[in-house]
Amino acid sequence: MGNPKAFLDIPRQEAGYRPIHERIADFSEVEQTLNSSERKLQASRCMDCGVPFCHWACPLGNRPPEFQDALSHSRWREAYEILIRTNDFPEFTGRVCPALCEKSCVLKLSIDSPVTIRENEAAIIEAAFREGYVVAKKYARNGLKVAVIGSGPAGLATANQLNRLGYEVTVFEKDEYIGGLLRFGIPNFKLHKAIIDRRVKIMESEGICFKVKSNIDLEHLPEGFAAYAICTGTPEARNLEVPGRELRGIHFAMEILAQQNRLLAGQKFGDEEFITAKDKKVLVIGGGDTGSDCIGTVNRQGAVGVCQIEIMPQPPVGYNPLTPWPQWPNVLKTSSSHEEGCIRRWNLATNRFLGTEDGRVCGVEVEEVEWISVSENRKQMSLTGKKEIIEADLVLLAMGFLKPQFPQLPQNVWIVGDAATGPSLVVKCIAAGRKAAKEIDAMLQSNN
Ligand SMILES: Cc1cc2nc3c(=O)[nH]c(=O)nc-3n(C[C@H](O)[C@H](O)[C@H](O)COP(=O)(O)OP(=O)(O)OC[C@H]3O[C@@H](n4cnc5c(N)ncnc54)[C@H](O)[C@@H]3O)c2cc1C
Ligand code: SF4
């Protein structure tokens, strides 16, 4: 333990974001970093609880008390080695994880001021890259080949773990870059794409073969592999089938997010396919994280106004008695993108889109809803009849993704990550990849 009384004297200090006027003018990462002395102090707040709920809450089973202890004593290399025992890619989770661990930290439950576990994780892995601790290793080969289809966090973790166990791994990716939603969903201002490239380079040096622009037909898997991991995510977004959906200017969130990420990678788009929020009034339908990423993106593109609507009621601020620990706290989340400017509204259903004579969207009719309790745990939505028009000349649908259905697959095929569970989190997909790799190894070793 860093300092048994540190939690009494040292307040939680977050690194915070770059100033709004500065960050809104670019797509660079918004989160700042603390210096190493401040970081050590933050790590010293960990009380090394007898029963540390944080690593129970982390889907990867990360060991925060152990790495906080090493960090608080400046043993950065040791902290890094503890971290990578359970997490293949702390540079991703350290940036984008919603930190399930922190919601379970005893300092959260007692004084609402958890250890900055996620930020400390990011600091450790970035120090490890800077200091040259992260180097490609060579692993003895066992003569067996495994195919991984899809290169999001689930595919990358499955490939990484199998490669270490000696398998010859080929990752097939239909897009032109590796990374899945890390690459094309999550905006640069949360996760810079150089962070993915840096990791992929190491994985390539360690022997993993990446084949981009390889759209695999899941009914006819490539031959010559002892096992297959299907890590193809949730490609189908939830649609909003109301009158006017066909109007121009209504897009799925992923259309604009992926295009923006491609533009930043230097790709060009013709007028027909180019989507921009410049000088537009934008309406984002869907109050979750994807919607928040749309807000950050359109503000950077030069939108004149952004409104985000959600059909569910506004969650309480700070603490929600309906979702006590160990449940995930359903509380109001204000992201860096929300801070940058948008109107947020709740309890609104979308009735129809309104269009101009030339077929472009110009507004949306919404209707207020009420949520009426029908039993202790269930509420039913009821329309109130209070309708209004929200003006919008760009509408982005951010209402989640559908869980894919797969045909009956042979025994040597695993479905991993969001493809198996429906939309989840990067940390859960890395955990799923690690688990799948263990199971694939067990199956192949028992066959040989
Ligand atoms: C906009 C957005 C923001 C998000 N932000 C966060 C966040 O901040 N924090 C967080 O924890 N989670 C976040 N998520 C969720 C997270 O990104 C996903 O849960 C995670 O990426 C899913 O990983 P995956 O590997 O299962 O699939 P994906 O990341 O979806 O990757 C699947 C890959 O498979 C490829 N593929 C599909 N079909 C084929 C085929 N037939 N052949 C070859 N390749 C194929 C796809 O091209 C893709 O590259 C966000 C999601 C979105 C949409
Ligand atoms: S991966 Fe996420 S939940 Fe796990 S320790 Fe890191 S920040 Fe916490």
Side-chain angles (χ1 to χ4, degrees):
M1 193 191 320
N3 166 5
K5 291 192 175 164
F7 72 96
L8 295 171
D9 304 327
I10 298 164
R12 173 179 164 102
Q13 185 187 354
E14 292 172 16
Y17 304 127
R18 290 189 289 134
I20 291 178
H21 70 271
E22 178 196 308
R23 70 188 197 231
I24 201 77
D26 63 46
F27 276 86
S28 297
E29 286 185 355
V30 295
E31 190 163 64
Q32 308 188 108
T33 48
L34 297 180
N35 65 37
S36 51
S37 337
E38 288 168 332
R39 183 59 63 204
K40 276 170 54 184
L41 275 182
Q42 288 304 303
S44 75
R45 295 182 69 241
C46 175
M47 301 185 295
D48 195 5
C49 315
V51 183
F53 304 133
C54 54
H55 65 74
W56 162 81
C58 173
L60 287 161
N62 275 356
R63 301 276 189 270
E66 282 91 327
F67 66 68
Q68 312 296 355
D69 178 53
L71 178 54
S72 69
H73 292 103
S74 293
R75 298 194 306 265
W76 290 81
R77 183 170 204 134
E78 184 187 325
Y80 161 69
E81 278 161 5
I82 296 166
L83 190 51
I84 54 155
R85 259 181 243 153
T86 51
N87 188 352
D88 297 66
F89 313 121
E91 66 274 33
F92 304 155
T93 49
R95 284 174 167 79
V96 302
C97 187
L100 295 86
C101 53
E102 292 184 23
K103 312 302 181 283
S104 282
C105 173
V106 172
L107 290 182
K108 162 80 185 165
L109 303 174
S110 53
I111 57 169
D112 197 21
S113 180
V115 175
T116 52
I117 303 173
R118 177 188 59 79
E119 288 190 25
N120 293 0
E121 187 173 317
I124 293 167
I125 185 67
E126 287 311 315
F129 272 106
R130 254 193 332 271
E131 296 299 322
Y133 305 153
V134 190
V135 286
K137 296 187 185 150
K138 290 282 168 232
Y139 300 96
R141 295 288 145 208
N142 66 13
L144 291 169
K145 293 184 180 178
V146 180
V148 173
I149 326 286
S151 69
L156 291 178
T158 312
N160 202 40
Q161 289 294 312
L162 286 169
N163 185 54
R164 288 176 182 191
L165 290 166
Y167 295 91
E168 260 180 65
V169 182
T170 304
V171 178
F172 296 92
E173 169 53 56
K174 81 171 158 53
D175 283 335
E176 71 281 32
Y177 289 110
I178 295 300
L181 289 174
L182 296 169
R183 171 80 59 181
F184 288 123
I186 300 179
N188 266 32
F189 55 78
K190 277 164 64 183
L191 172 67
H192 198 283
K193 304 315 164 202
I195 303 298
I196 309 173
D197 296 337
R198 180 176 69 180
R199 177 57 67 177
V200 170
K201 212 165 144 197
I202 291 173
M203 293 172 73
E204 270 176 329
S205 310
E206 291 186 337
I208 296 174
C209 172
F210 288 98
K211 292 196 171 182
V212 293
K213 298 185 190 166
S214 302
N215 192 355
I216 302 299
D217 175 355
L218 301 182
E219 310 251 7
H220 301 95
L221 292 169
E223 287 180 8
F225 296 93
Y228 302 82
I230 295 184
C231 311
T232 46
T234 50
E236 197 181 339
R238 184 168 289 119
N239 202 356
L240 185 59
E241 282 159 8
V242 298
R245 172 65 182 87
E246 72 291 347
L247 292 163
R248 280 180 289 126
I250 304 173
H251 300 275
F252 287 116
M254 274 304 293
E255 292 178 60
I256 194 165
L257 294 174
Q259 190 175 90
Q260 183 57 58
N261 281 324
R262 287 191 161 95
L263 286 167
L264 291 168
Q267 291 186 39
K268 302 264 182 283
F269 292 88
D271 288 348
E272 275 297 293
E273 43 178 357
F274 183 57
I275 310 167
T276 177
K278 190 161 173 42
D279 300 328
K280 294 202 176 121
K281 289 181 211 130
V282 182
L283 178 70
V284 176
I285 302 183
D289 290 345
T290 301
S292 153
D293 289 345
C294 289
I295 294 165
T297 300
V298 299
N299 273 328
R300 280 164 180 72
Q301 291 182 348
V304 290
V306 192
C307 177
Q308 182 183 33
I309 62 171
E310 165 61 49
I311 199 165
M312 299 301 292
Q314 177 175 353
V317 177
Y319 178 70
N320 185 346
L322 296 177
T323 53
W325 184 81
Q327 291 178 51
W328 178 254
N330 178 27
V331 292
L332 183 69
K333 200 172 145 193
T334 301
S335 68
S336 63
S337 297
H338 291 125
E339 286 174 357
E340 290 158 8
C342 77
I343 295 168
R344 299 172 80 182
R345 299 184 59 189
W346 285 266
N347 286 325
L348 288 180
T350 306
N351 283 347
R352 62 191 173 108
F353 297 109
L354 311 175
T356 57
E357 275 177 10
D358 66 343
R360 278 204 69 85
V361 68
C362 61
V364 181
E365 183 190 275
V366 294
E367 180 167 350
E368 200 178 290
V369 302
E370 278 174 350
W371 289 91
I372 298 159
S373 291
V374 285
S375 67
E376 204 184 331
N377 297 321
R378 212 167 70 83
K379 290 192 170 183
Q380 206 168 40
M381 191 191 85
S382 151
L383 293 166
T384 62
K386 284 186 210 152
K387 296 179 188 171
E388 67 177 287
I389 305 293
I390 299 178
E391 280 181 34
D393 34 25
L394 178 65
V395 175
L396 301 174
L397 307 178
M399 300 177 308
F401 299 84
L402 304 178
K403 187 177 164 189
Q405 302 298 318
F406 291 95
Q408 185 74 28
L409 293 162
Q411 250 198 324
N412 63 343
V413 180
W414 268 254
I415 300 176
V416 189
D418 280 8
T421 59
S424 69
L425 295 172
V426 171
V427 63
K428 290 190 174 171
C429 290
I430 301 174
R434 292 171 68 90
K435 180 166 174 279
K438 267 197 199 124
E439 291 171 3
I440 291 171
D441 180 49
M443 193 245 342
L444 294 179
Q445 293 312 317
S446 70
N447 289 351
N448 281 288

